[in-house]
Amino acid sequence: MHDVISQPPLDQQKLRALLEAAERLTSTLSRDDVLNHILAIGGELTASEAGSVILYDPDQNNLYFAAATGPSAEQVRALRIPIGKGKAGMVFETGEPLIENTLKDHYKAVDQKAHFTTHSMICVPLVFATKTYGVLQFVNKHPDQGPYDDADLQLTLRLANFATIAIRNADLFERLLASSGLYANPEVRKDLVDMVTGAGPRVRVEHATVLFADMRGFTDFCPKIAGSVQDYLNEYFCELAAAVLAHGGIVNKFLGDGLMALFRGPDAPLRAVQCAFNMRERFATLRRQWQMQINHDISTLEVGVGIASDQVTIGAIGDDKMSDFTIVGGVVNHAAALERQARDGSFVLCDNRTYQAVHPWVSEFKGPMGTGGYLIYDLRTVRSSIQRATAFICHAHADLAKVKELIVPYLDKYGFDAFLAEKSIEIGAKWDKAIGAAIDASDYFVIAVSANAVASTHVGEEIHYAFSRERDKRPGWIMPVLLDTTNPSQIYWQLGRRQYRDLTSADGIADFETALQAMAARARENAAHGDASRDRG
């Protein structure tokens, strides 16, 4: 699709830049680095104000911004594009590239939510063999460089070819590391990757903490399932693995209906113990979901965890053709033995070294108990390592049912505590003072925009107070969400200029989930670097 006159072939300078780009992309195995390289190179070659790599999400059957540059890069990362909608959705669906210097039928929802105006665009599919991964898009060519032309299209198409191969290689490399026993966040495993690839030392000895987790009652559970056992196991493993990654650990092996994980560093025992309790919390939620689908009582399903800390040998076993990251040492057998004993009301057992490292954080325990010559502790409660950010929900009382249906479950799903005044403020407390204190203590201020909210005096007062406190809060603190078609500016004039999430449609709810997911990821990154971690009892 063109609205320009063909231009001369690519000049030698741009061809050289493209070849250098190909070399950089094919030599990079980190997906984030690949995406950043693509946009930096393409933006420079096409003289564009902004660019984005928009990839397909098969789980939600829509497109998401995997990476973006430009003035609204942060805002667009939380957005979703339906297949076939707008230019990106159309290019993904048809596989046909486009150039438009005067946009027509643009999916304006992106611009509206990102507070950005797209004037011109070049968009090409990311295709490998018969599979389309997404699209590569650059927008708003600098005025002094003229309109987008066929030379820009040729450059972008060639860059997209290199980019698709690089993205695919990076994804395959991630899967290789995960299947080789190194499933972890990139910053956690970065010094271990060379062991698997053969580029560095094959083994090392260090102090670490090993965790084993296993489902109790799984054998009896299987005959009660109407569907595939594997589907239930996949959900279960996803939750346990997510807990390990959230606490900076490495998932080393899946073992039947359990897993083995490694935690490194001076605070490894604490993160492992906190991970164990997080696993049990996640599994309790999952078990409730399963119970809704199954007639039989499954309340006896539990997760037992064993944790031990000591010196281990870690590294890759194998040769140049095949290698597997593994952990060797008596502590592995000890942790496995503790996991087997973790049952009948004692579901998190640890050895003495682990307990001595974590006891300031443990508020309830039993022990020490002598078993087989070892001291064992039964841990009952521990303070969390991951701060669950609090979201104050500002809403009209008449919307409470909608708030509980459309907002609270998603906040909980992505690790946020919802503050609802009717549940959280004690009877007899001074309402105005209590509300102000609650807003001050909250990490986010979510506004349920509706016709009922427009008519509510309390909502208006809470929003006015929240805006007065905004400069002391984190970016993106105020989060408007739509419960109906009400214009946010009807509640408070400044809301009309804010990015919002529309919860009246499936696409809007998907956008809301994506935004919460991104916020949760940033919180985990901050916690990992010690920037924003506060223990809560």
Side-chain angles (χ1 to χ4, degrees):
M1 181 182 291
H2 295 250
D3 60 3
V4 295
I5 298 173
S6 295
Q7 297 294 317
L10 300 179
D11 61 43
Q12 290 186 355
Q13 184 177 358
K14 289 190 175 181
L15 278 172
R16 281 196 298 271
L18 194 62
L19 290 172
E20 291 174 4
E23 185 177 352
R24 288 172 62 188
L25 289 175
T26 54
S27 63
T28 302
L29 289 174
S30 163
R31 184 175 179 181
D32 288 343
D33 288 346
V34 165
L35 299 180
N36 290 332
H37 284 334
I38 292 167
L39 295 179
I41 295 160
E44 183 178 348
L45 290 177
T46 61
S48 297
E49 179 185 12
S52 51
V53 178
I54 305 172
L55 299 180
Y56 175 61
D57 181 350
D59 293 330
Q60 297 192 30
N61 192 34
N62 58 20
L63 302 171
Y64 69 98
F65 287 79
T69 59
S72 297
E74 287 300 318
Q75 288 84 351
V76 300
R77 284 190 181 123
L79 302 180
R80 294 270 171 160
I81 299 175
I83 305 300
K85 287 280 189 179
K87 304 305 178 185
M90 183 178 68
V91 169
F92 177 82
E93 187 173 52
T94 65
E96 294 293 326
L98 68 79
I99 298 176
E100 285 195 8
N101 287 302
T102 304
L103 279 184
K104 303 169 186 175
D105 302 321
H106 177 48
Y107 186 54
K108 291 184 170 55
V110 173
D111 282 6
Q112 289 169 355
K113 293 178 181 179
H115 304 293
F116 181 82
T117 302
T118 303
H119 302 291
S120 57
M121 178 188 297
I122 186 165
C123 188
V124 304
L126 296 168
V127 180
F128 183 86
T130 59
K131 181 178 179 180
T132 303
Y133 284 78
V135 300
L136 175 60
Q137 175 180 280
F138 296 103
V139 301
N140 296 354
K141 188 165 183 176
H142 293 301
D144 58 352
Q145 297 296 315
Y148 286 121
D149 55 31
D150 278 354
D152 293 318
L153 180 61
Q154 291 179 47
L155 280 168
T156 309
L157 283 169
R158 286 166 173 76
L159 179 62
N161 289 337
F162 298 138
T164 308
I165 294 171
I167 291 171
R168 182 173 178 273
N169 287 346
D171 287 347
L172 289 173
F173 187 63
E174 290 288 329
R175 293 177 66 87
L176 168 68
L177 292 177
S179 62
S180 298
L182 262 179
Y183 181 44
N185 292 320
E187 67 273 11
V188 171
R189 63 161 192 244
K190 61 184 179 183
D191 65 321
L192 302 175
V193 173
D194 286 349
M195 290 182 174
V196 176
T197 62
R202 302 290 287 185
V203 296
R204 69 173 58 171
V205 177
E206 61 183 58
H207 276 81
T209 298
V210 178
L211 176 151
F212 277 79
D214 189 79
M215 194 192 307
R216 302 290 179 250
F218 181 71
T219 302
D220 293 334
F221 173 63
C222 290
K224 302 173 183 178
I225 301 172
S228 167
V229 172
Q230 192 61 45
D231 290 341
Y232 286 89
L233 276 177
N234 288 342
E235 289 183 302
Y236 164 72
F237 281 132
C238 281
E239 291 297 330
L240 264 60
V244 174
L245 267 60
H247 289 80
I250 299 169
V251 178
N252 183 244
K253 288 179 177 64
F254 290 128
L255 305 162
D257 57 352
L259 63 73
M260 172 183 173
L262 174 70
F263 295 82
R264 306 166 66 216
D267 62 343
L270 178 59
R271 286 186 287 108
V273 168
Q274 290 164 334
C275 174
F277 282 89
N278 186 228
M279 283 178 171
R280 289 182 47 75
E281 290 171 4
R282 287 170 179 266
F283 183 70
T285 300
L286 185 61
R287 185 179 57 210
R288 286 194 295 270
Q289 295 172 3
W290 287 353
Q291 186 65 82
M292 295 172 66
Q293 307 165 25
I294 299 171
N295 287 327
H296 298 276
D297 178 14
I298 61 171
S299 60
T300 56
L301 281 180
E302 284 286 358
V303 172
V305 184
I307 305 168
S309 303
D310 205 343
Q311 185 170 283
V312 296
T313 300
I314 61 175
I317 292 178
D319 55 26
D320 293 338
K321 296 178 181 178
M322 183 186 71
S323 63
D324 187 35
F325 181 79
T326 193
I327 309 151
V328 179
V331 66
V332 177
N333 295 331
H334 194 184
L338 290 172
E339 174 264 300
R340 288 191 292 273
Q341 297 175 52
R343 58 183 71 245
D344 301 326
S346 299
F347 292 111
V348 179
L349 299 181
C350 73
D351 68 347
N352 186 52
R353 280 195 178 90
T354 302
Y355 173 76
Q356 296 303 326
V358 306
H359 74 85
W361 287 268
V362 175
S363 52
E364 185 181 353
F365 68 95
K366 287 186 177 181
M369 300 169 286
T371 304
Y374 291 97
L375 294 180
I376 297 175
Y377 289 82
D378 173 6
L379 306 183
R380 298 301 177 94
T381 59
V382 67
R383 282 188 288 166
S384 173
S385 63
I386 298 178
Q387 176 190 349
R388 282 178 65 91
T390 302
F392 183 102
I393 305 180
C394 173
H395 66 94
H397 181 72
D399 291 326
L400 183 58
K402 275 190 175 181
V403 166
K404 289 181 176 180
E405 176 191 355
L406 296 175
I407 300 176
V408 173
Y410 294 109
L411 289 173
D412 181 67
K413 179 178 179 180
Y414 292 102
F416 297 89
D417 287 330
F419 184 97
L420 293 171
E422 50 101 21
K423 290 177 58 179
S424 305
I425 294 181
E426 296 179 0
I427 295 175
K430 292 185 177 180
W431 186 264
D432 290 346
K433 185 176 181 180
I435 285 290
I439 293 174
D440 286 342
S442 295
D443 300 286
Y444 293 97
F445 185 80
V446 179
I447 304 170
V449 177
S450 70
N452 292 323
V454 173
S456 171
T457 303
H458 289 304
V459 167
E461 290 174 349
E462 289 173 9
I463 293 174
H464 179 77
Y465 182 76
F467 270 94
S468 74
R469 303 288 292 125
E470 184 177 24
R471 66 180 178 180
D472 298 325
K473 295 290 187 175
R474 66 182 72 194
W477 182 56
I478 292 177
M479 298 175 58
V481 295
L482 302 189
L483 299 184
D484 57 31
T485 57
T486 299
N487 187 328
S489 61
Q490 290 181 258
I491 299 179
Y492 192 75
W493 67 275
Q494 289 194 50
L495 283 181
R497 295 159 39 182
R498 298 299 175 104
Q499 184 180 0
Y500 61 85
R501 298 290 183 266
D502 184 352
L503 303 188
T504 65
S505 69
D507 289 341
I509 291 174
D511 282 348
F512 184 49
E513 281 204 78
T514 303
L516 293 176
Q517 194 171 18
M519 288 160 50
R522 286 196 296 271
R524 288 195 297 270
E525 289 174 7
N526 290 338
H529 290 89
D531 296 333
S533 59
R534 297 195 306 265
D535 284 328
R536 293 185 175 181

